[in-house]
Amino acid sequence: MNYERKFTFASNVPISGPTDDGVINGIPRQRIIDLGKKTLEHEASSLIDLGSRLDMSFAEAVEKILVCPGRVIAMGVGKSGHIARKIAATLASTGTPAFYVHPGEAGHGDLGAVTSVDVVLLISNSGEGDEISQVLPALKQLGVVVIGITGNVSSRLAKFADVVLDSSVSREACPLNLAPTSSTTAQLALGDAIAIAALDARGFNEDAFARSHPAGAIGRRLLTQVSDVMRTGDELPIVGRSTLLLDAMQVMSRKGLGSVAVVGSRGRLEGVFTDGDLRRCLEQGTALQELTIEHVMNTAPKTMRPNAKATDAVGIIRECQISTILIVDDDQTLVGAVSTNDLIRHRIL
């Protein structure tokens, strides 16, 4: 059956919903799925071809950005403008100061944001757009380094730029070969490649990433210290080493941490007793009535410092298969405790 059809874009054309025979607005569901797959396959193929063409121009572009004492200013119009905004955001969040300026607005005052020590990343599939062409003489007068990402290496932009990155594609994924699809995907992928190469060259690590993303889930996980999530004061289940085991069990139950810390007279941690230890005592038939906690406590509990990363606590909990870590200062004085529930509550785990 031939499912080819003409599309008319009019506000008064009704769009029908799905029917029992698997048709949506006159199109079989399977054709919709097939078109989606074909689009993704075509764009993936375009990226593979783009990767095979990557040459020393790419390394030169990254080098220009790395040695730039200023910022990277990304410019583009229309769909390329949206891509430029995203590339600028990715660069800024991975260690390269960058922002977006609309070429049209640049000609009306926003060019004042560009200085001679900056790098301008101009993105245009045709390389011939009016807004781009109008800003080129002003950029030349400023003496900035210009990196062009274009699908037309014979364009005015390509001839003007100090470094040219070829983002051309054989055709758009759009069935009409009109809507920017494969071409914008290629532009975006090149921008990501530049950002990642610069990230690696700068030695940009997890700590730096977290400082750029303090409000996000990733930044929160990487920046949060144990001291930010630990329980302190009256929340801690604490007993002395001469405490009867049955009394210590009541403290453990009341505080709800599944363990009790054993401390000396000056608050120094001497041991821990957990619900797992209790279970083992019962399995061994140990008489609990007259025992003191010092007879059954673990004298080598897992501990951390308050300034340790909360993510490190997650690693210890998983590796040691425990539910609580005791927090001590440099003198081994107990200052807090972190449980699995605390880490979940603060969205670290």
Coordinates of all heavy atoms in Angstrom, one line a residue, residues 224-290:
T224 N 28.1 18.8 48.0 CA 27.6 18.6 49.3 C 28.6 17.8 50.2 O 29.2 16.8 49.8 CB 26.3 17.8 49.3 OG1 25.3 18.6 48.5 CG2 25.8 17.6 50.7
Q225 N 28.9 18.3 51.4 CA 29.8 17.7 52.3 C 29.0 16.9 53.3 O 27.8 17.1 53.5 CB 30.7 18.7 53.0 CG 31.7 19.5 52.1 CD 32.6 20.4 52.8 OE1 32.3 20.9 53.9 NE2 33.7 20.7 52.2
V226 N 29.7 16.0 54.0 CA 29.1 15.2 55.0 C 28.5 16.1 56.1 O 27.4 15.8 56.6 CB 30.1 14.2 55.7 CG1 29.6 13.6 56.9 CG2 30.5 13.2 54.7
S227 N 29.2 17.2 56.4 CA 28.6 18.1 57.5 C 27.3 18.7 57.1 O 26.6 19.2 58.0 CB 29.7 19.2 57.7 OG 29.9 19.9 56.5
D228 N 27.0 18.7 55.8 CA 25.7 19.3 55.3 C 24.5 18.4 55.5 O 23.4 18.8 55.5 CB 25.8 19.7 53.8 CG 26.9 20.7 53.6 OD1 27.0 21.7 54.4 OD2 27.6 20.6 52.5
V229 N 24.8 17.1 55.7 CA 23.7 16.1 55.8 C 23.7 15.3 57.1 O 22.8 14.6 57.3 CB 23.8 15.1 54.6 CG1 23.6 15.9 53.3 CG2 25.1 14.3 54.6
M230 N 24.8 15.4 57.9 CA 24.9 14.5 59.0 C 24.0 15.0 60.2 O 23.6 16.1 60.3 CB 26.3 14.5 59.5 CG 26.8 15.8 60.2 SD 28.6 15.7 60.6 CE 28.7 17.2 61.5
R231 N 23.6 14.0 61.0 CA 22.9 14.3 62.2 C 23.8 14.6 63.3 O 24.9 14.1 63.4 CB 22.1 13.0 62.6 CG 21.2 12.5 61.5 CD 20.4 11.3 62.1 NE 19.7 10.7 61.0 CZ 18.6 9.9 61.1 NH1 18.1 9.6 62.4 NH2 18.0 9.3 60.1
T232 N 23.4 15.5 64.2 CA 24.2 16.0 65.3 C 23.5 16.1 66.6 O 22.2 15.9 66.6 CB 24.8 17.4 65.0 OG1 23.8 18.3 64.8 CG2 25.7 17.3 63.7
G233 N 24.2 16.4 67.7 CA 23.5 16.7 69.0 C 22.6 15.6 69.5 O 23.0 14.4 69.5
D234 N 21.4 15.9 69.9 CA 20.5 15.0 70.5 C 20.0 13.9 69.5 O 19.4 12.9 69.9 CB 19.2 15.8 71.0 CG 19.6 16.6 72.2 OD1 20.6 16.3 72.8 OD2 18.8 17.6 72.5
E235 N 20.3 14.1 68.2 CA 19.9 13.1 67.2 C 20.8 11.9 67.3 O 20.4 10.8 66.7 CB 19.9 13.7 65.8 CG 18.9 14.8 65.6 CD 19.0 15.4 64.2 OE1 20.1 15.8 63.8 OE2 18.0 15.3 63.4
L236 N 21.9 12.0 67.9 CA 22.9 10.9 67.9 C 22.6 9.9 69.0 O 22.4 10.3 70.2 CB 24.3 11.5 68.0 CG 24.8 12.4 67.0 CD1 26.2 12.9 67.3 CD2 24.8 11.8 65.6
P237 N 22.7 8.6 68.7 CA 22.5 7.6 69.7 C 23.9 7.3 70.3 O 24.8 6.7 69.7 CB 22.0 6.4 68.9 CG 22.6 6.6 67.5 CD 22.7 8.1 67.3
I238 N 24.1 7.8 71.6 CA 25.4 7.7 72.2 C 25.3 7.1 73.6 O 24.3 7.4 74.4 CB 26.0 9.2 72.4 CG1 26.2 9.8 71.0 CG2 27.3 9.1 73.1 CD1 26.6 11.3 71.2
V239 N 26.2 6.2 73.9 CA 26.2 5.6 75.2 C 27.7 5.4 75.6 O 28.6 5.6 74.8 CB 25.6 4.1 75.2 CG1 24.1 4.2 74.9 CG2 26.3 3.2 74.3
G240 N 27.9 5.2 77.0 CA 29.3 4.9 77.4 C 29.5 3.4 77.4 O 28.6 2.6 77.3
R241 N 30.8 3.1 77.5 CA 31.2 1.7 77.4 C 30.7 0.8 78.5 O 30.6 -0.4 78.3 CB 32.7 1.5 77.2 CG 33.5 2.0 78.4 CD 35.0 2.0 78.0 NE 35.4 0.7 77.6 CZ 36.3 0.5 76.6 NH1 36.8 1.5 75.9 NH2 36.6 -0.7 76.2
S242 N 30.3 1.3 79.6 CA 29.8 0.5 80.7 C 28.3 0.4 80.7 O 27.7 -0.2 81.6 CB 30.2 1.1 82.1 OG 29.7 2.5 82.2
T243 N 27.6 1.0 79.7 CA 26.2 0.9 79.6 C 25.7 -0.6 79.3 O 26.4 -1.3 78.5 CB 25.7 1.8 78.4 OG1 26.1 3.1 78.6 CG2 24.2 1.7 78.3
L244 N 24.7 -1.0 80.0 CA 24.2 -2.3 79.8 C 23.7 -2.4 78.4 O 23.1 -1.5 77.8 CB 23.0 -2.6 80.8 CG 23.4 -2.9 82.2 CD1 22.1 -3.0 83.1 CD2 24.2 -4.1 82.4
L245 N 23.9 -3.6 77.8 CA 23.5 -3.8 76.4 C 22.0 -3.6 76.2 O 21.6 -2.9 75.2 CB 23.9 -5.2 75.9 CG 23.5 -5.6 74.5 CD1 24.0 -4.6 73.5 CD2 23.9 -7.0 74.2
L246 N 21.2 -4.0 77.1 CA 19.7 -3.8 77.0 C 19.4 -2.3 77.0 O 18.5 -1.9 76.2 CB 19.0 -4.5 78.1 CG 19.1 -6.1 78.1 CD1 18.3 -6.7 79.2 CD2 18.6 -6.6 76.7
D247 N 20.1 -1.5 77.8 CA 19.8 -0.1 77.8 C 20.3 0.6 76.5 O 19.7 1.5 75.9 CB 20.6 0.6 79.0 CG 20.0 0.1 80.3 OD1 18.8 -0.3 80.3 OD2 20.7 0.2 81.3
A248 N 21.5 0.1 76.0 CA 22.0 0.6 74.7 C 21.0 0.3 73.6 O 20.8 1.1 72.7 CB 23.3 0.0 74.4
M249 N 20.4 -0.9 73.6 CA 19.4 -1.2 72.6 C 18.2 -0.3 72.6 O 17.7 0.1 71.6 CB 19.0 -2.7 72.8 CG 20.0 -3.7 72.5 SD 19.7 -5.4 73.1 CE 18.0 -5.6 72.4
Q250 N 17.8 0.2 73.8 CA 16.7 1.1 73.9 C 17.1 2.4 73.2 O 16.3 3.1 72.5 CB 16.3 1.3 75.3 CG 15.7 0.1 76.0 CD 15.2 0.3 77.4 OE1 15.3 1.5 77.9 NE2 14.8 -0.7 78.1
V251 N 18.3 2.9 73.5 CA 18.8 4.1 72.9 C 18.8 4.0 71.4 O 18.4 4.9 70.6 CB 20.2 4.5 73.4 CG1 20.8 5.7 72.7 CG2 20.2 4.8 74.9
M252 N 19.3 2.9 70.9 CA 19.4 2.6 69.5 C 18.0 2.6 68.8 O 17.8 3.2 67.8 CB 20.1 1.3 69.2 CG 20.3 0.9 67.7 SD 21.4 -0.5 67.5 CE 20.5 -1.8 68.4
S253 N 17.1 2.0 69.5 CA 15.7 2.0 69.0 C 15.1 3.4 69.0 O 14.4 3.7 68.0 CB 14.9 1.0 69.8 OG 13.5 1.0 69.4
R254 N 15.3 4.1 70.0 CA 14.7 5.5 70.2 C 15.3 6.5 69.1 O 14.5 7.3 68.6 CB 15.0 6.0 71.6 CG 14.2 7.2 71.9 CD 14.2 7.5 73.4 NE 15.5 7.6 74.0 CZ 16.1 6.7 74.8 NH1 15.4 5.6 75.2 NH2 17.3 6.9 75.3
K255 N 16.5 6.4 68.8 CA 17.1 7.3 67.8 C 16.9 6.9 66.4 O 17.0 7.8 65.5 CB 18.6 7.5 68.1 CG 19.0 8.0 69.5 CD 18.5 9.4 69.7 CE 18.9 9.9 71.1 NZ 18.4 11.3 71.3
G256 N 16.6 5.7 66.2 CA 16.2 5.2 64.8 C 17.3 5.2 63.8 O 17.1 5.4 62.6
L257 N 18.6 5.0 64.2 CA 19.7 5.0 63.3 C 20.2 3.5 63.0 O 21.0 3.3 62.2 CB 20.9 5.8 63.8 CG 21.0 7.2 63.3 CD1 22.3 7.8 63.9 CD2 21.1 7.2 61.8
G258 N 19.6 2.6 63.8 CA 20.1 1.2 63.6 C 21.4 0.9 64.2 O 22.0 -0.1 63.9
S259 N 22.0 1.8 65.0 CA 23.2 1.6 65.6 C 23.4 2.6 66.8 O 22.6 3.5 66.9 CB 24.4 1.9 64.6 OG 24.4 3.2 64.2
V260 N 24.3 2.3 67.7 CA 24.6 3.2 68.8 C 26.1 3.4 68.9 O 26.9 2.4 68.7 CB 24.0 2.6 70.1 CG1 24.7 1.2 70.4 CG2 24.2 3.6 71.3
A261 N 26.5 4.6 69.1 CA 28.0 4.9 69.2 C 28.4 4.9 70.6 O 27.7 5.3 71.5 CB 28.2 6.3 68.6
V262 N 29.6 4.3 70.9 CA 30.1 4.2 72.2 C 31.3 5.2 72.3 O 32.2 5.1 71.5 CB 30.7 2.7 72.5 CG1 31.2 2.6 73.9 CG2 29.6 1.7 72.2
V263 N 31.2 6.1 73.3 CA 32.2 7.2 73.4 C 32.7 7.2 74.8 O 32.1 6.7 75.8 CB 31.6 8.5 73.1 CG1 31.0 8.6 71.7 CG2 30.5 8.9 74.1
G264 N 33.9 7.7 74.9 CA 34.6 7.9 76.2 C 34.1 9.1 76.9 O 33.3 9.9 76.5
S265 N 34.8 9.5 78.0 CA 34.4 10.6 78.8 C 34.6 11.9 78.1 O 33.9 12.9 78.4 CB 35.2 10.6 80.1 OG 36.6 10.7 79.8
R266 N 35.5 12.0 77.2 CA 35.7 13.3 76.5 C 35.1 13.3 75.1 O 35.4 14.1 74.2 CB 37.2 13.6 76.4 CG 37.8 13.8 77.7 CD 39.3 14.2 77.6 NE 39.9 14.5 78.8 CZ 41.2 14.9 79.0 NH1 41.9 15.1 77.9 NH2 41.6 15.1 80.2
G267 N 34.2 12.3 74.9 CA 33.5 12.3 73.6 C 34.2 11.6 72.5 O 33.7 11.6 71.3
R268 N 35.4 11.0 72.8 CA 36.1 10.3 71.8 C 35.4 9.0 71.4 O 35.0 8.2 72.3 CB 37.5 10.0 72.2 CG 38.4 11.2 72.2 CD 39.8 10.9 72.8 NE 40.5 9.8 72.2 CZ 41.3 9.9 71.1 NH1 41.5 11.2 70.6 NH2 41.9 8.9 70.5
L269 N 35.3 8.7 70.1 CA 34.6 7.5 69.7 C 35.5 6.2 70.1 O 36.7 6.2 69.8 CB 34.4 7.5 68.2 CG 33.7 6.3 67.6 CD1 32.3 6.2 68.1 CD2 33.7 6.4 66.1
E270 N 34.8 5.3 70.7 CA 35.5 4.0 71.1 C 35.0 2.8 70.4 O 35.7 1.8 70.4 CB 35.4 3.9 72.6 CG 36.1 5.0 73.4 CD 36.1 4.8 74.9 OE1 35.4 3.9 75.3 OE2 36.9 5.4 75.6
G271 N 33.8 2.9 69.9 CA 33.2 1.7 69.2 C 31.8 2.0 68.7 O 31.2 3.1 68.9
V272 N 31.2 1.0 68.1 CA 29.8 1.1 67.6 C 29.2 -0.3 67.8 O 29.8 -1.3 67.7 CB 29.8 1.5 66.2 CG1 30.4 0.5 65.3 CG2 28.4 1.8 65.7
F273 N 27.9 -0.3 68.0 CA 27.1 -1.5 68.1 C 25.9 -1.3 67.2 O 25.1 -0.3 67.3 CB 26.6 -1.8 69.5 CG 25.9 -3.1 69.6 CD1 26.6 -4.3 69.7 CD2 24.5 -3.1 69.7 CE1 25.9 -5.5 69.8 CE2 23.8 -4.3 69.9 CZ 24.5 -5.5 69.9
T274 N 25.7 -2.2 66.2 CA 24.6 -2.1 65.2 C 23.6 -3.1 65.4 O 23.8 -4.1 66.1 CB 25.2 -2.2 63.8 OG1 25.6 -3.5 63.6 CG2 26.4 -1.2 63.6
D275 N 22.4 -3.0 64.7 CA 21.4 -4.0 64.7 C 21.9 -5.3 64.1 O 21.5 -6.4 64.5 CB 20.1 -3.5 64.0 CG 20.4 -2.9 62.7 OD1 21.5 -3.1 62.1 OD2 19.4 -2.4 62.1
G276 N 22.9 -5.2 63.2 CA 23.5 -6.4 62.7 C 24.3 -7.1 63.7 O 24.3 -8.4 63.8
D277 N 25.0 -6.4 64.6 CA 25.7 -7.0 65.7 C 24.8 -7.7 66.6 O 25.0 -8.8 67.1 CB 26.5 -6.0 66.5 CG 27.6 -5.3 65.6 OD1 28.2 -6.1 64.8 OD2 27.9 -4.1 65.8
L278 N 23.6 -7.1 66.9 CA 22.6 -7.7 67.8 C 22.1 -9.0 67.2 O 21.9 -10.0 67.9 CB 21.5 -6.7 68.0 CG 20.3 -7.2 68.8 CD1 20.7 -7.6 70.2 CD2 19.2 -6.1 68.8
R279 N 21.9 -9.0 65.9 CA 21.4 -10.2 65.2 C 22.4 -11.3 65.4 O 22.0 -12.5 65.6 CB 21.1 -9.9 63.8 CG 20.4 -11.0 63.0 CD 19.9 -10.5 61.7 NE 20.9 -9.9 60.8 CZ 21.0 -8.6 60.6 NH1 20.1 -7.8 61.2 NH2 22.0 -8.1 59.8
R280 N 23.6 -11.0 65.2 CA 24.7 -12.0 65.4 C 24.8 -12.5 66.8 O 25.0 -13.7 67.0 CB 26.0 -11.5 64.9 CG 26.1 -11.4 63.3 CD 27.4 -10.9 62.9 NE 27.6 -9.5 63.1 CZ 27.2 -8.6 62.2 NH1 26.6 -8.9 61.1 NH2 27.4 -7.3 62.4
C281 N 24.6 -11.7 67.8 CA 24.6 -12.1 69.2 C 23.4 -13.1 69.4 O 23.6 -14.1 70.1 CB 24.4 -10.9 70.1 SG 25.9 -9.9 70.3
L282 N 22.3 -12.8 68.9 CA 21.1 -13.7 69.1 C 21.3 -15.0 68.4 O 21.0 -16.0 68.9 CB 19.8 -13.0 68.5 CG 19.4 -11.7 69.3 CD1 18.2 -11.0 68.6 CD2 19.0 -12.1 70.7
E283 N 21.9 -15.0 67.2 CA 22.2 -16.2 66.5 C 23.1 -17.1 67.2 O 23.1 -18.3 67.1 CB 22.7 -15.9 65.1 CG 21.6 -15.3 64.1 CD 22.2 -14.8 62.8 OE1 23.5 -14.8 62.7 OE2 21.5 -14.4 61.9
Q284 N 24.1 -16.5 67.9 CA 25.1 -17.3 68.7 C 24.6 -17.7 70.1 O 25.3 -18.4 70.8 CB 26.3 -16.4 68.8 CG 27.0 -16.1 67.5 CD 28.1 -15.1 67.6 OE1 28.4 -14.6 68.7 NE2 28.7 -14.7 66.5
G285 N 23.4 -17.2 70.4 CA 22.8 -17.6 71.7 C 23.4 -16.9 72.9 O 23.4 -17.3 74.0
T286 N 24.0 -15.7 72.6 CA 24.6 -14.9 73.7 C 23.6 -14.4 74.7 O 22.5 -13.9 74.3 CB 25.3 -13.7 73.1 OG1 26.3 -14.1 72.1 CG2 26.1 -12.9 74.2
A287 N 23.9 -14.6 76.0 CA 23.0 -14.1 77.0 C 23.2 -12.5 77.1 O 24.3 -12.1 77.4 CB 23.3 -14.7 78.4
L288 N 22.1 -11.8 76.9 CA 22.2 -10.3 76.8 C 22.0 -9.6 78.1 O 22.4 -8.4 78.2 CB 21.2 -9.8 75.7 CG 21.3 -10.5 74.4 CD1 20.2 -9.8 73.5 CD2 22.7 -10.4 73.7
Q289 N 21.3 -10.2 79.1 CA 20.8 -9.5 80.2 C 21.9 -8.8 81.0 O 21.7 -7.6 81.4 CB 20.1 -10.4 81.2 CG 18.7 -10.9 80.7 CD 18.8 -12.0 79.6 OE1 19.9 -12.4 79.3 NE2 17.7 -12.4 79.0
E290 N 23.1 -9.4 81.3 CA 24.1 -8.8 82.1 C 25.2 -8.2 81.4 O 26.2 -7.7 82.0 CB 24.6 -9.9 83.1 CG 23.5 -10.5 84.0 CD 22.8 -9.5 84.8 OE1 23.4 -8.5 85.3 OE2 21.6 -9.7 85.0

